[in-house]
Amino acid sequence: MFLPFVVVSLVLLGLILKRLVFRPNHPAIPGPKPYPIIGNLFDLPHERQWIKFTEWARLYGEIVHVHTFGTSIIVLNSVHAVKELLERRSAIYSDRPHSVMLCDIMGYEWGVNAMQYGDRWKTHRRILHQSFQRATIQNFWPIQHAATTRLVSALCSKPNNFWEHCKHFSASIAAKSAYGIELSDQDDWFIQQQQRNFEYLTIGATPFRWMVDIIPALRHVPAWVPGAEFKRVARAARECWQVMLEAPLAYAKAAIETGTAPVCLVSKCLEGSEKSGLSPEVHEGYVKNAAGIVYVAGMDTTSSALHAFILAMVLHPEVQRKAQKELDTVLGVERTPSFEDRPNLPYIEAIMSEVLRWVPIAPVALPHVAAQDDQYGEYVIKKGTLVFGNSWALLHDPDIYADPWVFRPERFIKSDTQIPETDPANLSVYGYGRRVCPGRWLADGSVWIAIATILSRFDISPAIDAHGAPIDVSFARDQLPAFNSYVIHLCDGLLRDN
């Protein structure tokens, strides 16, 4: 009994002496008080992290520090901190943390958005940039136009299935752009597979959800052990991703061999493989990974933005009327919008910007990692620290956006008496620094053409209950993304009578 007591006492004494001898000569970054050994383990949120992070911002300021089991975590809650660290010092903060759960156990090492910074990531990034850079994005306009036509047709027949129609819209653009695959209907195998893939990605990438990321030794626990659910989830995800990566690539390669392949990422990159400087096998693997991330990430992001748009139109019919007046003035009553009309539709542009700000696609950006010791003001950020950009806090900062909880597209319209507020697309919607989303111009165009076309063809109103009364639609602050689960049941699309 005496020996363990002595050992524990010596360990605690050593920790105390270490803190006294090696006391830092700089102030600690503020944050919730940690517990001994486990640090802030019980403070870390497992879901809806932006809510807790924003609460911390109000308590501790623009930069908040927590740690657990030796891992330091910093949350950036201001534009200044994000711009200074993740943008201006991107050479230091472009790495990603290595997720034991997501990459090692689930097998997501192919995901470009999770790859650690280096030559392998740069090659994948180059493949994506060549296909989706702003200068060449108009090559995909016909794909987006065709998908929008199908979306309108689906809304005419079944307006209450809006969420399913949006998923098909965004999935069809991703599949055609990446693989040249034309999706048939909402029950298409590729859509079902893609939805499962994205769900596994969301599960695996949620910060602080899996204890194995905090205690990596747990990876050796057998799958049959009670509580080892992560092993069973990982096995299913790995099998699902394998199918998703191989099946559409095989389809695209077969089309290339028969000379029937349309212009898409796979056809463009495989046909130019000799210019890559890589062996054909390695280059094809990189193309497979790049196309896979377009397909996995492309569906839910666009459809979520459109869902938020519908919610905003239900809550703000006055915005809808003003947008339709602009559309009728520019297009008349016969023609639907095209990308060539975009410069002449500033209010539609403002609606899209406000949708992306009001309900951001990714409220918390994927974590960056400090590649070396760094200093921000009086604070020292140690090498290996995980750095999160709290996009939700930035996009609802009252110092940047007046009345941030109010949906008001006019904030982005320039006039003789008003300077436009910061466009969220230039702030944090698509990520930060060198890790900004390479498909952002494709997503931007898809969301814009869908918003413009829906407003030109439909009046959007609340659904009617069993007694013929409009169903009340409301929302709670900090809770907007939760509406993605049931807005579909609140909205009817009524074809406009022009």
Side-chain angles (χ1 to χ4, degrees):
M1 293 290 293
F2 180 70
L3 183 59
F5 175 77
V6 172
V7 172
V8 172
S9 299
L10 289 174
V11 170
L12 291 176
L13 179 61
L15 291 173
I16 293 172
L17 289 174
K18 181 179 179 181
R19 290 181 63 87
L20 291 174
V21 174
F22 298 100
R23 184 182 297 275
N25 57 5
H26 52 80
I29 300 174
K33 185 178 180 180
Y35 293 96
I37 302 177
I38 63 172
N40 300 99
L41 177 63
F42 298 121
D43 295 316
L44 297 174
H46 291 183
E47 58 183 15
R48 303 175 71 77
Q49 290 80 13
W50 59 93
I51 297 176
K52 177 60 69 175
F53 289 172
T54 304
E55 289 176 0
W56 287 348
R58 288 192 284 265
L59 290 172
Y60 306 110
E62 65 168 350
I63 178 169
V64 178
H65 175 261
V66 292
H67 73 88
T68 180
F69 291 108
T71 299
S72 288
I73 301 163
I74 284 177
V75 182
L76 306 178
N77 299 297
S78 75
V79 172
H80 181 269
V82 164
K83 291 289 186 182
E84 180 61 34
L85 297 181
L86 302 186
E87 298 280 350
R88 296 188 181 94
R89 306 185 200 179
S90 59
I92 298 175
Y93 295 97
S94 292
D95 206 359
R96 290 277 194 238
H98 180 75
S99 170
V100 174
M101 178 61 178
L102 185 63
C103 295
D104 293 347
I105 305 179
M106 297 179 76
Y108 193 69
E109 72 280 352
W110 61 269
V112 181
N113 54 347
M115 285 182 188
Q116 294 183 287
Y117 190 75
D119 291 341
R120 182 169 178 262
W121 173 80
K122 290 178 181 178
T123 302
H124 283 87
R125 177 81 178 196
R126 191 178 306 117
I127 291 172
L128 290 166
H129 176 72
Q130 290 171 351
S131 296
F132 301 116
Q133 59 184 300
R134 190 173 191 175
T136 60
I137 202 64
Q138 64 187 35
N139 294 334
F140 298 99
W141 286 359
I143 295 173
Q144 293 167 312
H145 270 296
T148 306
T149 300
R150 291 192 295 270
L151 174 62
V152 168
S153 178
L155 287 171
C156 286
S157 59
K158 294 181 180 180
N160 281 333
N161 286 355
F162 183 82
W163 182 231
E164 297 302 320
H165 301 328
C166 283
K167 287 194 293 185
H168 186 274
F169 167 78
S170 51
S172 63
I173 293 174
K176 194 68 180 282
S177 302
Y179 300 105
I181 295 174
E182 192 78 57
L183 299 184
S184 57
D185 54 41
Q186 292 177 6
D187 295 323
D188 192 288
W189 177 88
F190 285 105
I191 291 183
Q192 303 299 323
Q193 190 73 13
Q194 195 277 352
Q195 184 63 31
R196 292 179 61 207
N197 290 324
F198 187 82
E199 289 171 358
Y200 282 127
L201 176 58
T202 301
I203 290 171
T206 300
F208 322 125
R209 176 167 183 162
W210 303 103
M211 187 61 67
V212 71
D213 280 327
I214 299 173
I215 308 176
L218 292 176
R219 63 188 298 174
H220 303 296
V221 172
W224 54 264
V225 172
E229 177 196 4
F230 72 94
K231 281 291 188 73
R232 296 182 284 275
V233 170
R235 184 189 303 116
R238 185 181 287 269
E239 293 171 355
C240 187
W241 285 337
Q242 186 65 26
V243 172
M244 186 277 300
L245 287 171
E246 298 295 343
L249 181 69
Y251 178 100
K253 289 175 64 178
I256 293 173
E257 291 175 1
T258 59
T260 59
V263 176
C264 61
L265 184 150
V266 172
S267 65
K268 183 177 179 180
C269 292
L270 289 186
E271 290 173 351
S273 60
E274 69 281 353
K275 301 178 182 179
S276 68
L278 304 169
S279 69
E281 294 78 12
V282 172
H283 181 66
E284 180 177 311
Y286 283 8
V287 172
K288 176 174 68 176
N289 295 341
I293 196 61
V294 171
Y295 194 45
V296 169
M299 179 169 133
D300 197 74
T301 51
T302 301
S303 54
S304 294
L306 293 180
H307 218 161
F309 157 69
I310 287 293
L311 172 61
M313 295 303 98
V314 171
L315 291 170
H316 300 282
E318 74 285 356
V319 172
Q320 186 178 173
R321 299 284 87 80
K322 186 173 181 179
Q324 290 169 336
K325 182 178 180 180
E326 179 183 75
L327 286 162
D328 291 345
T329 300
V330 174
L331 306 176
V333 296
E334 301 294 335
R335 190 166 63 86
T336 55
S338 68
F339 285 103
E340 287 79 7
D341 296 311
R342 190 167 180 175
N344 301 318
L345 296 169
Y347 195 66
I348 303 300
E349 195 79 27
I351 288 176
M352 185 179 76
S353 295
E354 184 69 336
V355 165
L356 296 176
R357 184 202 68 81
W358 193 53
V359 185
I361 296 169
V364 178
L366 290 173
H368 297 234
V369 174
Q372 64 187 53
D373 289 355
D374 192 24
Q375 186 160 351
Y376 177 70
E378 59 183 347
Y379 304 128
V380 169
I381 301 172
K382 302 298 290 184
K383 177 181 179 180
T385 297
L386 276 60
V387 182
F388 287 88
N390 185 5
S391 302
W392 181 268
L394 272 60
L395 295 171
H396 295 84
D397 185 344
D399 291 334
I400 301 175
Y401 303 104
D403 300 319
W405 302 103
V406 175
F407 185 88
R408 189 173 66 241
E410 289 78 7
R411 69 175 76 242
F412 299 113
I413 299 293
K414 182 179 180 179
S415 68
D416 294 337
T417 59
Q418 175 179 288
I419 299 175
E421 295 176 10
T422 303
D423 190 332
N426 298 325
L427 186 61
S428 61
V429 168
Y430 296 111
Y432 306 104
R434 300 180 187 181
R435 303 305 295 237
V436 67
C437 174
R440 63 192 181 278
W441 301 118
L442 182 68
D444 172 87
S446 298
V447 173
W448 184 88
I449 192 64
I451 287 177
T453 305
I454 289 172
L455 285 171
S456 73
R457 295 294 306 276
F458 294 94
D459 288 324
I460 304 166
S461 63
I464 304 299
D465 64 19
H467 304 288
I471 296 175
D472 181 60
V473 182
S474 59
F475 67 90
R477 275 176 65 148
D478 294 350
Q479 304 292 321
L480 290 178
F483 274 78
N484 283 353
S485 63
Y486 57 88
V487 172
I488 181 174
H489 303 300
L490 301 178
C491 303
D492 281 330
L494 306 177
L495 195 61
R496 290 183 67 197
D497 183 9
N498 287 321

